Amino acid sequence: MSTTMRAAVCVRSGGPEVLEVRELPVPAVRDGWSLVRVQGAGLNRSELRTRQGHSPNVTFPRVLGIECVGTVAASTDPMLPDGTTVAAVMGEMGREFHGGYAEYALLPNSLLMPVTTTLPWDVLAALPETYLTAQGSLDALGVAPGDQGRLLIRGGTSSVGMAAASIAAGYGIETAATTRRQGKIGALTAAGVDHVLLDTGASLTASVHAIWPEGPDHVLDLVGASTAVDSLHLVRRGGTVCVTGSLSGWLISDFEPIAMIPSGTKLTAFHSDDFKGGAGTTVLQRVINQVEAGVYRPNIDRVFGLDDIVAAHRYMENNQATGKLVVVP
C-alpha cells in the first residue's frame, strides 16, 4: 500500500475554489480506529456549509465528507477483518477528523457498518446518508408499510426527498412532493411520487387542498427554516411535521410555538447522527437489499472524480442536482 494518498482538502472557509486536491500521508492506524480504502463518497449540503465556514467547531485545513463506502484496508477490530465492505456516516467525520473526500480515511471502529452487496461502488456510495436520513425521518413521522395516510415531501428533488419518495412508494403510501423547477417533475414521478406540486415560493395551501382537502397526514419538510411554519398549517389537524432538512438555513426566526403550532398538531425532527455505526447497520443493509431488488432507486444525479470536486461543490451550491451527487476517488 502506498504511503501517500490524494485527498480534497478544504484549506479555509470560502467558495468551491477553497477545495484543493493534495497529496497527504496515508493516516497511521491507531487503537480503536481502522483504515478504510474509500471507493466512493456521497456529497451533502452540510459539507457545503462547513466549507462556507458555518461549522464553528471545524478547523482548517480539513478533508470534508460526512460519509463514505469502501473496504477495510487495515483493521484494529477482529469483527471487521481487512477486506470487509463497510459504510460510515456522521460521527464528526469531516469535522473533528478527516472525512470521505480522499483515497483513504482513518475512522473510528464504532462508525463502521459492515454490509454485503453486489452494487457498483458509485451506487452504494449514494445510499448511506441519504437513505438512512430518509428512513429515520419517515420513522419519526410514523409512516410505515401499508399506511393509509398521505405524505407531503417539501424539497422533493433533494437526494433525501427522492429517497423518501422511493421508500414511501415501496410502502404503498400516497405521496406528493414539491419542486421549484418544471424540468424536475419527471424525476419525481419516476421516483414514485403520485402528485408533483410546483413551489413558486407562495403558500402551497391551494395546490395541496386541491388534491387533499383536509391536508396531508404527514409532512416531511426538507426545506426547513423558511417553510416549517407553513407546513404546520398545511398538515391536517393532529398530523405530524418532521423537519429534517436545512436547505433554507438553520433557524426559524421569531418562532412562537403556541401561536404557530395548531393544537394537536405534532412537530418533530430527525438527525442522521442517530443512525451512525451499529444503530444504522441493519437499516442500511435492508436498503441495499431493496435497491438490489429494484424496489428502491439510488437516484444518482451525477458522479464526479476527485479532481472535479470544485465543480461538484459548485453544482451542488447552484441547486442543479436532482438526487444524489457522488465523488469517486
Side-chain angles (χ1 to χ4, degrees):
M1 187 173 67
S2 174
T3 59
T4 62
M5 66 176 187
R6 298 171 71 248
V9 181
C10 186
V11 296
R12 61 185 181 279
S13 63
E17 69 281 354
V18 302
L19 294 167
E20 298 180 3
V21 177
R22 294 181 172 182
E23 287 281 335
L24 299 179
V26 172
V29 174
R30 63 179 187 269
D31 188 44
W33 297 59
S34 292
L35 187 67
V36 173
R37 171 70 172 97
V38 177
Q39 300 289 352
L43 300 185
N44 299 279
R45 294 189 71 87
S46 64
E47 296 148 4
L48 184 156
R49 291 209 166 87
T50 296
R51 190 208 75 215
Q52 293 171 333
H54 300 309
S55 298
N57 62 321
V58 174
T59 57
F60 300 107
R62 173 68 68 216
V63 177
L64 304 182
I66 65 168
E67 65 173 319
C68 69
V69 298
T71 54
V72 177
S75 176
T76 62
D77 184 347
M79 302 300 292
L80 295 167
D82 292 2
T84 302
T85 298
V86 293
V89 299
M90 298 299 288
E92 295 305 315
M93 284 178 64
R95 294 184 177 116
E96 289 189 4
F97 53 90
H98 289 332
Y101 290 13
E103 293 179 320
Y104 290 91
L106 184 67
L107 301 174
N109 292 332
S110 60
L111 284 189
L112 300 183
M113 297 182 282
V115 295
T116 302
T117 183
T118 58
L119 295 174
W121 287 115
D122 58 338
V123 174
L124 182 63
L127 304 180
E129 176 67 13
T130 293
Y131 263 91
L132 290 176
T133 302
Q135 184 65 68
S137 300
L138 294 180
D139 291 348
L141 283 167
V143 176
D147 194 321
Q148 298 301 305
R150 299 153 298 187
L151 170 68
L152 171 64
I153 302 171
R154 304 192 73 159
T157 54
S158 66
S159 59
V160 174
M162 296 189 74
S166 186
I167 295 172
Y171 284 178
I173 186 172
E174 187 179 358
T175 304
T178 68
T179 178
R180 290 178 297 172
R181 301 187 183 185
Q182 184 88 29
K184 294 187 176 185
I185 290 176
L188 286 172
T189 301
V193 173
D194 299 295
H195 312 282
V196 180
L197 308 177
L198 279 175
D199 187 351
T200 62
S203 174
L204 291 173
T205 301
S207 55
V208 169
H209 285 179
I211 55 171
W212 298 325
E214 295 180 0
D217 301 283
H218 319 280
V219 177
L220 172 54
D221 197 326
L222 300 170
V223 180
S226 67
T227 57
V229 173
D230 187 53
S231 292
L232 286 165
H233 292 273
L234 277 176
V235 74
R236 68 162 177 80
R237 184 66 67 95
T240 305
V241 174
C242 178
V243 177
T244 296
S246 57
L247 297 174
S248 62
W250 302 104
L251 301 176
I252 302 173
S253 59
D254 301 320
F255 182 61
E256 301 177 42
I258 294 174
M260 294 178 175
I261 303 177
S263 297
T265 297
K266 295 173 282 292
L267 174 62
T268 187
F270 177 76
H271 193 289
S272 56
D273 209 45
D274 292 352
F275 269 167
K276 67 186 178 185
T281 302
T282 301
V283 179
L284 180 59
Q285 185 64 63
R286 185 171 69 245
V287 167
I288 290 168
N289 295 344
Q290 294 287 69
V291 172
E292 290 178 340
V295 179
Y296 295 171
R297 297 164 57 94
N299 297 311
I300 299 173
D301 179 281
R302 190 169 296 190
V303 179
F304 292 88
L306 195 61
D307 287 327
D308 299 317
I309 193 66
V310 171
H313 262 242
R314 187 169 290 118
Y315 188 80
M316 178 167 56
E317 192 162 2
N318 290 337
N319 299 315
Q320 292 174 271
T322 304
K324 190 69 171 180
L325 303 178
V326 172
V327 62
V328 176

